[in-house]
Amino acid sequence: FKLLGFLDVQSVPCARESVLYGSVGSLVVGLGHFLATSRVRRSCDFAVGGFICTMLGYWFYCRYNLAQQRIRQRMLQEGMRNRILYEGSYLDPEKNQTGNERRDS
């Protein structure tokens, strides 16, 4: 479904989880403030603030972890590509070198 008519929650990474955690944060903050003060309007304001803060906080946390995961995945793919490319050649770091080959290098 689309949030606010333009944000497709299913296709954007981390959007669904951010909205869900934001709604839970909103409920916790709003209800906690209401139980502490018994002021309805002010509790609703705190609930909206809690939603925004929780949603944005989890959004940045999730996107940061996603970026780290993509970097690790890219490094792993490059390492696998190099392993296939250099396997069996003189550039292979795992190839056992004899004493003569070490002196020539």
Side-chain angles (χ1 to χ4, degrees):
F1 77 99
K2 293 187 181 215
L3 184 66
L4 301 175
F6 64 91
L7 179 62
D8 189 11
V9 177
Q10 291 179 339
S11 66
V12 177
C14 300
R16 179 178 177 270
E17 292 86 4
S18 296
V19 171
L20 290 175
Y21 281 121
S23 62
V24 170
S26 168
L27 181 69
V28 168
V29 169
L31 189 61
H33 190 269
F34 177 75
L35 292 175
T37 63
S38 297
R39 298 175 68 189
V40 176
R41 184 175 175 96
R42 188 82 165 152
S43 297
C44 290
D45 292 342
F46 268 80
V48 170
F51 174 78
I52 291 171
C53 290
T54 306
M55 186 181 74
L56 288 177
Y58 187 76
W59 171 268
F60 288 120
Y61 170 77
C62 183
R63 294 297 287 197
Y64 178 75
N65 284 338
L66 185 65
Q68 281 186 334
Q69 181 182 6
R70 286 182 178 167
I71 289 170
R72 285 192 303 265
Q73 185 179 19
R74 206 173 313 130
M75 288 173 53
L76 183 62
Q77 286 175 345
E78 184 179 333
M80 289 171 47
R81 190 178 310 117
N82 287 342
R83 167 77 180 192
I84 293 169
L85 187 66
Y86 295 133
E87 189 173 21
S89 70
Y90 71 94
L91 296 173
D92 188 5
E94 294 181 9
K95 183 178 177 183
N96 292 335
Q97 294 181 344
T98 63
N100 292 336
E101 289 176 342
R102 288 186 191 149
R103 278 187 248 133
D104 291 340
S105 298

